[in-house]
Amino acid sequence: EPEVTQTPSHQVTQMGQEVILRCVPISNHLYFYWYRQILGQKVEFLVSFYNNEISEKSEIFDDQFSVERPDGSNFTLKIRSTKLEDSAMYFCASSSRQGEQPQHFGDGTRLSIL
Amino acid sequence: QKEVEQNSGPLSVPEGAIASLNCTYSDRGSQSFFWYRQYSGKSPELIMFIYSNGDKEDGRFTAQLNKASQYVSLLIRDSQPSDSATYLCAVNNWRGATNKLIFGTGTLLAVQP
């Protein structure tokens, strides 16, 4: 069964450094998402992406965050200058259509900021 | 603020019993409803989704939706120890021009052998 793949599985970074989290969505999916989950808290929406542009973003997704689809398969989340509070699990998801179609999640990247 | 509410649990049931997990949501315009299972330290795994009022069955799982009461539930029949996980309810109001899923905090299910 097709799946969303994310790399790396765990990223440890010094505060203030830039990180790039990578995702390969399911191949025939058109809608891409990033969510995060701080330890012990609920899964929170960050951003959705369709047709090579951001379609929606949350209050969390400030100027330090950016997303890109650099080629036909990868979807990346960049955090420019990491803060301690960015430590979380970051999940990439994709769906074939908007809304009513389920979003399928990757295994996540655990981001630890020191 | 649009919210999804779940009892955090833990909900403890004996092996073979029916587990009943409940979720309420505040956005009356919500259109799509999803149940995800999340094992500790892992990602959400889609279990069921439902769009219309009533019941939807898939194997041991039944999702129930009542839009008038803004209530969605998941029944797990013949519960197994491997069902022990956190069950996340998520809703979407895609007709409100948003694709984002709003998640509840999840209910921890513990199936006792």
Side-chain angles (χ1 to χ4, degrees), chain A residues 56-69:
Chain A
E56 186 176 5
K57 59 184 181 180
S58 72
E59 293 174 353
I60 303 168
F61 195 88
D62 62 21
D63 291 346
Q64 295 301 312
F65 290 85
S66 62
V67 290
E68 192 178 31
R69 187 154 164 84

Side-chain angles (χ1 to χ4, degrees), chain A residues 31 33 35 37 41-45 48 55-56 89 91 98-108 110, chain B residues 3-4 32 34 36 38 41-46 49 51 88 92 94 97-105:
Chain A
Y31 295 83
Y33 315 85
Y35 291 82
Q37 186 176 32
Q41 298 187 22
K42 64 174 70 174
V43 177
E44 301 175 288
F45 169 79
S48 60
S55 48
E56 186 176 5
M89 281 289 285
F91 297 112
Q98 70 174 16
E100 63 178 12
Q101 292 301 311
Q103 296 177 23
H104 297 268
F105 284 71
D107 287 342
R110 179 172 300 283
Chain B
E3 298 284 346
V4 176
S32 307
F34 305 90
Y36 288 85
Q38 187 176 35
K42 302 296 185 182
S43 65
E45 174 193 2
L46 182 70
F49 56 95
Y51 310 132
L88 308 178
N92 171 270
W94 59 272
T98 175
N99 287 336
K100 68 181 179 187
L101 291 177
I102 300 175
F103 282 85
T105 53

Side-chain angles (χ1 to χ4, degrees), chain B residues 7 10 13 20-21 24-25 37 43-44 49 71 90 92 100 107:
Chain B
N7 188 322
V13 300
S20 177
L21 303 158
T24 59
Y25 57 94
R37 177 174 63 197
S43 65
F49 56 95
Y71 177 91
N92 171 270
K100 68 181 179 187
T107 298

Side-chain angles (χ1 to χ4, degrees), chain B:
Chain B
Q1 178 76 353
K2 297 181 172 56
E3 298 284 346
V4 176
E5 301 287 341
Q6 296 182 258
N7 188 322
S8 61
L11 172 66
S12 183
V13 300
E15 184 175 355
I18 296 175
S20 177
L21 303 158
N22 305 313
C23 171
T24 59
Y25 57 94
S26 63
D27 181 5
R28 190 167 285 278
S30 298
Q31 298 290 332
S32 307
F33 306 87
F34 305 90
W35 284 100
Y36 288 85
R37 177 174 63 197
Q38 187 176 35
Y39 293 111
S40 181
K42 302 296 185 182
S43 65
E45 174 193 2
L46 182 70
I47 299 296
M48 293 280 295
F49 56 95
I50 187 167
Y51 310 132
S52 304
N53 279 326
D55 294 1
K56 179 182 178 182
E57 187 175 318
D58 183 2
R60 295 187 297 114
F61 300 96
T62 299
Q64 299 174 316
L65 175 62
N66 184 326
K67 288 186 179 179
S69 301
Q70 296 175 239
Y71 177 91
V72 57
S73 64
L74 179 70
L75 300 178
I76 306 175
R77 287 180 298 282
D78 189 23
S79 295
Q80 301 297 309
S82 58
D83 294 327
S84 298
T86 297
Y87 287 80
L88 308 178
C89 174
V91 306
N92 171 270
N93 181 2
W94 59 272
R95 289 192 181 145
T98 175
N99 287 336
K100 68 181 179 187
L101 291 177
I102 300 175
F103 282 85
T105 53
T107 298
L108 178 62
L109 173 66
V111 181
Q112 307 299 325

